[in-house]
């Protein structure tokens, strides 16, 4: 249960195109906003949509994934932890920020990239099926010849047994 103390899971849409920064240390960081929607009925029975905005931070490999595959409006799932920090802005005012540091990212609505990926997957699966079918045919041909050889031996043995009995 200790790993459930600070855990956030969200499914929502990317708000703006992610801002990618490479720090002096060489680490890559992606920052973006994410909108989650909740629907409910008000006192009059009308359906109401409530949108919450969250600020997401992803580091290194996760930042690479965000940079390559997400754009404004894409549906994604995030799992991470809630963090708070403060900084002093240009006007010497202390600002407080609460954001989610992403541990896991799942791309749910990447139609452009998934089309290419799905095409590659289909090609690979088709090739695997063809290869396995070819192997099955070869195996059945080999076993077919073995079966026919076994059958003819069995028939010979039966004939010999029957002729000895007679």
């Amino acid at each position: 249960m200790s790993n459930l103390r600070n855990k956030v899971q969200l499914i929502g849409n990317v708000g703006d195109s992610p801002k990618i920064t490479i720090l002096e240390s060489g680490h890559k960081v992606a920052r973006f906003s994410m909108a989650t929607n909740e629907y409910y009925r008000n006192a009059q029975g009308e359906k109401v949509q409530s949108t919450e905005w969250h600020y997401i931070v992803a580091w290194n490999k996760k930042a690479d994934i965000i940079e390559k595959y997400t754009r404004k409006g894409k549906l994604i799932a995030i799992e991470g932890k809630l963090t708070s920090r403060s900084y002093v802005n240009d006007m010497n005012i202390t600002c407080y920020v609460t954001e989610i540091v992403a541990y896991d990212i799942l791309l749910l609505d990447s139609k452009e990239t998934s089309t290419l990926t799905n095409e590659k997957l289909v090609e690979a699966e088709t090739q695997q099926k063809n290869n396995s079918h070819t192997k099955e045919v070869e195996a059945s041909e080999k076993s077919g010849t073995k079966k026919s050889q076994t059958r003819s031996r069995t028939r010979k043995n039966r004939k010999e047994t029957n002729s000895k009995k007679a």
Side-chain angles (χ1 to χ4, degrees):
M1 285 288 204
S2 64
N3 59 350
L4 294 177
R5 292 179 192 229
N6 187 2
K7 185 175 185 176
V8 178
Q9 293 178 328
L10 299 172
I11 295 176
N13 297 92
V14 176
D16 273 332
S17 292
K19 293 176 180 72
I20 307 298
T21 308
I22 298 177
L23 304 176
E24 291 175 6
S25 62
H27 294 287
K28 186 183 274 191
V29 63
R31 296 181 186 276
F32 61 98
S33 59
M34 181 176 171
T36 56
N37 297 314
E38 184 178 355
Y39 300 93
Y40 62 92
R41 298 213 178 263
N42 62 13
Q44 293 77 29
E46 300 167 334
K47 190 175 183 180
V48 178
Q49 175 183 338
S50 173
T51 302
E52 293 289 329
W53 288 92
H54 314 277
Y55 296 97
I56 313 295
V57 178
W59 291 89
N60 300 319
K61 289 184 181 181
K62 308 291 189 282
D64 289 336
I65 292 168
I66 293 296
E67 181 180 28
K68 289 178 185 176
Y69 301 110
T70 63
R71 302 285 177 263
K72 180 179 181 177
K74 294 291 182 182
L75 185 66
I76 62 172
I78 296 289
E79 184 175 314
K81 71 175 185 173
L82 199 58
T83 61
S84 297
R85 62 182 176 86
S86 63
Y87 65 94
V88 178
N89 68 9
D90 295 338
M91 297 184 292
N92 207 24
I93 298 173
T94 303
C95 299
Y96 298 93
V97 180
T98 300
E99 48 198 11
I100 297 162
V101 177
Y103 292 142
D104 288 320
I105 298 165
L106 182 61
L107 305 172
L108 301 174
D109 184 36
S110 55
K111 291 178 184 171
E112 297 142 8
T113 55
S114 69
T115 302
L116 293 174
T117 304
N118 286 342
E119 287 175 0
K120 289 178 183 176
L121 287 173
V122 167
E123 287 175 17
E125 286 175 2
T126 305
Q127 192 172 21
Q128 283 179 343
K129 285 180 183 175
N130 288 342
N131 289 344
S132 65
H133 180 70
T134 304
K135 289 177 183 175
E136 286 174 11
V137 169
E138 290 172 357
S140 67
E141 286 174 355
K142 287 179 185 176
S143 67
T145 56
K146 287 179 184 175
K147 284 180 185 175
S148 63
Q149 289 171 356
T150 306
R151 284 184 193 140
S152 38
R153 277 190 228 133
T154 307
R155 287 182 191 142
K156 274 185 183 178
N157 291 342
R158 281 187 198 150
K159 286 180 182 176
E160 289 173 6
T161 308
N162 290 340
S163 64
K164 287 179 185 176
K165 287 181 182 178

